[in-house]
């Protein structure tokens, strides 16, 4: 009887929190559009406009952005699309995960719809028929990576901070992470996915996440030059971006932050299991390996195993196949396990950074439980 009352109370609180979040979203929408859409010459310009929330992507923004991109793709008077973030601090710091977790706790449809519609938007960007330029000037994580990395042109600046930190919140590097991460050099993608390691500035381009590096103070001039292009081809846009990159010498003399560790990463992260990687790190004994072992020990063991399998599979899949797989994983994290809710609580809500993972060790995470997360959802599978 008492358990029933506790569950009802828990659901009621989650419902209240979700209503509060939705109310804040509506207030934001009324106070000022969360997506600014402009037509400048032959260019379509989208500005993510939630600067106080570091332009975190919510459902309203997805539902504004998707039809606009589809419209411009077939519009004869739109030749190029530019996407940027407002406020100077972030392009997009991630998805609005708090709203999704509150919805998931009470079985609200937002938990299904958010991931579904976000991934459809990611696929639209990945298959876009016109030059798509993401100006990732500032924090670019999670959902923000999904809005940029699949586009043809991704312009980093010295203010860019890239990471896929999902294993720390009981999730996995989604938004097509299973597609682009395994395609980075050697084991770099797997390293970034499991550890959530942060890349900054020019290193984002050196790693292959960004296509170009341009100094932040030159971004306004770059944007003007791009919108002034008459019927630009991919080559025209490429030429402009290349010329700005050549004129951006900031940090050019600094080596890639992971340069001295790349061979070690390739060696230590080459394994057929997460346990194998942890064993490699512990036996290596170098300060770098020790630090990575400590980092992995803090992550959700379930997330680490899901992420490992996701990247293994994604390396030979198309973007569409990866997104279908990741939608299955997103729903498994929402329904089958508790780590996602516990991770969000520890990192984003209570901020005590002491999650209680369940299971708490890699050994306790069965291969079958991981396999089940990849199972088809039948009629509920993502359709692209």
């Amino acid at each position: 009887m008492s358990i029933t009352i506790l569950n009802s109370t828990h659901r009621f609180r989650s419902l209240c929190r979700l209503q509060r979040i939705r109310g804040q979203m509506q207030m934001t929408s009324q106070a000022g559009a969360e997506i600014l859409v402009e037509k400048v010459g032959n260019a379509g310009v989208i500005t993510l406009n939630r600067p106080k929330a570091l332009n975190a992507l919510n459902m309203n923004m997805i539902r504004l952005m998707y039809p606009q991109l589809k419209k411009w793709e077939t519009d004869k008077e739109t030749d190029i699309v530019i996407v940027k973030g407002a406020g100077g601090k972030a392009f997009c710091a991630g998805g609005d995960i708090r709203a999704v977790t509150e919805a998931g706790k009470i079985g609200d449809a937002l938990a299904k719809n958010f991931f579904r519609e976000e991934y459809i938007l990611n696929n639209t960007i990945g298959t876009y028929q016109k030059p798509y330029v993401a100006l990732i000037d500032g924090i670019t994580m999670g959902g923000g990576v999904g809005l940029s990395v699949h586009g043809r042109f991704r312009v980093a600046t010295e203010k860019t901070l890239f990471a896929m930190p999902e294993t720390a919140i009981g999730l996995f590097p989604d938004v097509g992470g299973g597609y682009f991460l395994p395609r980075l050099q050697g084991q770099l993608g797997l390293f970034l996915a499991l550890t959530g390691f942060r890349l900054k500035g020019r290193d984002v381009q050196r790693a292959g996440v960004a296509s170009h590096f341009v100094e932040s103070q030159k971004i306004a001039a770059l944007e003007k030059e791009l919108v002034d292009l008459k019927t630009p081809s991919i080559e025209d846009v490429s030429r402009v971006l290349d010329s700005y990159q050549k004129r951006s010498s900031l940090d050019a003399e600094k080596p890639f932050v992971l340069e001295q560790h790349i061979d070690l990463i390739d060696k230590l992260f080459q394994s057929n299991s997460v346990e194998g990687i942890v064993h490699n790190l512990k036996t290596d004994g170098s300060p770098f390996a020790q630090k990575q072992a400590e980092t992995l020990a803090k992550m959700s063991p379930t997330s680490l195993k899901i992420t490992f399998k996701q990247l293994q599979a994604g390396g030979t899949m198309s973007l569409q196949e990866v997104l279908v797989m990741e939608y299955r994983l997103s729903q498994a994290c929402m329904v089958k396990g508790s780590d996602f809710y516990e991770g969000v609580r520890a990192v984003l809500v209570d901020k005590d950074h002491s999650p209680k993972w369940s299971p708490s060790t890699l050994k306790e995470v069965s291969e079958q439980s991981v396999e089940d997360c990849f199972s088809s959802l039948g009629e509920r599978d993502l359709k692209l």
Side-chain angles (χ1 to χ4, degrees), residues 136 149 154-156 201 204-213:
I136 55 172
V149 79
R154 295 93 56 201
V155 183
V204 180
Q205 190 248 339
R206 286 172 170 149
V209 175
S211 62
H212 292 80
F213 174 84

Side-chain angles (χ1 to χ4, degrees), residues 124-305:
T124 300
I125 293 165
T127 57
Y128 213 64
Q129 297 301 300
K130 291 178 178 176
Y132 180 99
V133 183
L135 302 174
I136 55 172
D137 183 24
I139 301 164
T140 304
M141 295 186 185
V145 176
L147 297 181
S148 54
V149 79
H150 304 301
R152 189 177 289 267
F153 302 107
R154 295 93 56 201
V155 183
T157 74
E158 71 277 9
K159 286 158 59 178
T160 303
L161 176 63
F162 161 90
M164 295 296 277
E166 288 81 4
T167 56
I169 58 164
L171 202 58
F172 59 94
D174 67 330
V175 296
Y179 181 76
F180 83 87
L181 287 165
R183 286 164 173 80
L184 300 181
Q185 63 194 67
Q187 300 299 319
L188 178 61
L190 183 60
F191 166 76
L192 295 172
L194 295 178
T195 64
F197 186 89
R198 296 177 169 204
L199 291 171
K200 296 174 185 173
R202 197 179 278 273
D203 288 336
V204 180
Q205 190 248 339
R206 286 172 170 149
V209 175
S211 62
H212 292 80
F213 174 84
V214 175
E215 288 160 11
S216 188
Q217 63 179 26
K218 294 183 169 71
I219 288 291
L222 167 65
E223 188 184 337
K224 184 177 186 315
E225 200 158 324
L226 288 173
V227 301
D228 285 346
L229 290 170
K230 302 292 180 232
T231 61
S233 63
I234 295 291
E235 291 71 30
D236 293 333
V237 176
S238 213
R239 202 159 37 245
V240 171
L241 292 173
D242 288 348
S243 75
Y244 271 81
Q245 179 168 281
K246 279 180 191 141
R247 283 179 271 152
S248 296
S249 58
L250 187 69
D251 296 334
E253 75 295 340
K254 285 187 184 173
F256 178 44
V257 68
L258 292 170
E259 189 173 292
Q260 67 191 69
H261 306 300
I262 279 292
D263 290 344
L264 200 54
I265 288 170
D266 286 348
K267 182 178 132 195
L268 301 179
F269 282 76
Q270 179 68 53
S271 179
N272 57 10
S273 69
V274 181
E275 288 93 333
I277 291 170
V278 171
H279 174 75
N280 291 346
L281 292 169
K282 286 181 175 174
T283 52
D284 180 78
S286 67
F288 178 78
Q290 212 171 339
K291 191 175 180 186
Q292 306 323 311
E294 287 166 11
T295 298
L296 293 186
K298 295 173 188 168
M299 305 307 190
S300 156
T302 301
S303 287
L304 290 174
K305 286 204 170 183

Side-chain angles (χ1 to χ4, degrees), residues 172 174-178 310 322-330:
F172 59 94
D174 67 330
V175 296
Q310 170 205 5
V322 165
L323 290 169
V324 170
M325 169 179 73
E326 290 182 357
Y327 184 71
R328 292 170 182 172
L329 296 177
S330 76

Side-chain angles (χ1 to χ4, degrees), residues 55-80:
N55 300 321
L57 185 69
N58 63 28
M59 185 64 110
N60 184 44
M61 294 163 79
I62 293 167
R63 288 181 171 171
L64 291 168
M65 197 168 172
Y66 173 73
Q68 190 61 60
L69 287 178
K70 295 304 274 185
K71 181 184 169 190
W72 279 339
E73 193 168 27
T74 55
D75 177 21
K76 288 177 181 166
E77 292 179 3
T78 305
D79 296 313
I80 181 173

